[in-house]
Amino acid sequence: MPDFPVAALRSVELTTPHLAVSAEFYTKVWGLDVAAAANGTVYLAATGRDFHVLELTPGEATSLRKVSFRVRSHEDLHRLFVRARQAGCEVINPPAPSPAPPGGESFVVREPQGCAMEFVHGDRTKAARVIAERPERLAHVNINSADVEKLSAFYQETLGFRLSDRSKLMAFLCCNSDHHAIVLAEAPRNGLNHVAFLMPDLESVMRGSGRMVDHGHPIGWGVGRHGPGDNVFAYFVDPAGTVIEYTAEVLQIDDSYVAKGPADWVWPPGRTDQWGIAPPKSDACKAAQLAIPFATAST
Ligand SMILES: [Fe+2]
């Protein structure tokens, strides 16, 4: 693989107007554990090595407060900071020891389309476990963009991501062997489209989906198998209105992978997944995919 300065997508921070409800949902139904609570924020862990994958912070409305990435080295962290500033990012926190529970050195910037991004090196991790029906880590974050080409260029030229595929409406970007860590979706306004959590396997996606249905959270889209990335999926809307996805079997790629373009990723009429079994996406899911803005308060 190329020498990506960003090693992996680590976590997201969401604000929620109902912290207790959201925390109970993610621990009792979605399959995460409380890793820490500090300064009003609840840090939730999956079963993999990341200290946490989701931060829940109280807020007046639901929003995406930041997306956090792990950086390969101290030198890369500082190099990325310089490049981010040169690209016009707003500096929220310059490089410094992170006050968050997993620690490490980090900085936070807001990219030109408004998404706050944290870059971390040297954060604390834990022993990874694989537990059936429970998320291991984040798989990808899908960001709505009114100018996908411009944001895609920023991810590639400033942050060192690589374009792994381009469909008519979406750009798929990778920073390691996962086919994508970030997806940019064409939308009328910038914001969060959805957050995907990696399950151990297809069976876990199916059984986790059944657990969601049992608790009154219907499938918004799926179960199906995506085209770009070849991953299986099931989409839901969480109690605060954020679209979340269980996914598994994400295509692993290397330097030899050749990106396809919009003409290659076309479904036959009426089909929205490879298997041809996913029913049409629910109106509630469609609306929620366009409803979550970026938080504007400083991180
Ligand atoms: Fe997704």
Side-chain angles (χ1 to χ4, degrees):
M1 296 298 290
D3 291 334
F4 293 110
V6 174
L9 168 68
R10 187 194 69 174
S11 56
V12 292
E13 180 178 5
L14 300 172
T15 63
T16 165
H18 310 292
L19 180 64
V21 172
S22 293
E24 173 148 333
F25 164 77
Y26 278 103
T27 52
K28 299 279 181 358
V29 184
W30 193 245
L32 305 181
D33 290 318
V34 174
N39 302 319
T41 293
V42 178
Y43 296 79
L44 297 167
T47 65
R49 61 189 292 266
D50 299 315
F51 179 89
H52 70 284
V53 296
L54 176 62
E55 294 171 52
L56 295 175
T57 301
E60 282 182 18
T62 304
S63 66
L64 175 64
R65 200 155 188 229
K66 66 176 184 287
V67 182
S68 298
F69 300 90
R70 186 172 291 112
V71 176
R72 195 176 50 176
S73 70
H74 167 85
E75 290 72 25
D76 282 325
L77 187 88
H78 286 264
R79 223 171 278 141
L80 273 179
F81 180 67
V82 171
R83 278 157 55 174
R85 286 184 68 172
Q86 287 170 346
C89 290
E90 172 197 348
V91 177
I92 297 175
N93 292 326
S98 169
E105 180 183 24
S106 74
F107 71 87
V108 183
V109 294
R110 190 180 303 285
E111 48 86 348
Q113 293 189 20
C115 182
M117 312 177 80
E118 179 182 33
F119 298 88
V120 186
H121 173 67
D123 59 325
R124 191 148 56 97
T125 56
K126 59 185 172 64
R129 297 174 297 165
V130 176
I131 301 177
E133 303 172 38
R134 291 187 52 194
E136 295 179 4
R137 60 177 170 86
L138 291 192
H140 59 269
V141 177
N142 188 312
I143 297 290
N144 290 329
S145 171
D147 191 338
V148 167
E149 281 309 306
K150 201 166 184 180
L151 193 54
S152 177
F154 167 79
Y155 269 89
Q156 294 175 68
E157 292 158 17
T158 302
L159 303 180
F161 282 62
R162 188 160 64 95
L163 185 75
S164 47
D165 270 305
R166 181 72 163 95
S167 66
K168 181 166 174 255
L169 297 177
M170 296 188 196
F172 297 80
L173 295 150
C174 64
C175 64
N176 53 36
S177 61
D178 282 356
H179 175 273
H180 52 279
I182 289 289
V183 184
L184 308 177
E186 188 178 304
R189 56 190 168 274
N190 303 330
L192 173 65
N193 188 296
H194 66 270
V195 180
F197 295 73
L198 186 73
M199 285 293 223
D201 49 29
L202 168 60
E203 183 74 6
S204 292
V205 171
M206 300 301 276
R207 290 182 178 274
S209 297
R211 183 173 66 225
M212 288 287 284
V213 171
D214 285 347
H215 285 83
H217 305 286
I219 296 177
W221 187 32
V223 176
R225 186 180 288 279
H226 282 312
D230 201 35
N231 44 322
V232 293
F233 65 89
Y235 286 56
F236 304 89
V237 182
D238 86 356
T242 302
V243 176
I244 47 179
E245 174 186 355
Y246 280 143
T247 192
E249 300 186 356
V250 179
L251 181 67
Q252 298 298 293
I253 61 172
D254 59 22
D255 287 345
S256 67
Y257 186 80
V258 179
K260 293 187 184 137
D264 302 305
W265 296 113
V266 178
W267 299 116
R271 179 173 287 229
T272 63
D273 85 295
Q274 287 195 51
W275 294 327
I277 61 164
K281 191 183 287 179
S282 72
D283 288 341
C285 186
K286 279 186 204 165
Q289 284 181 282
L290 295 173
I292 308 302
F294 300 133
T296 50
S298 291
T299 301

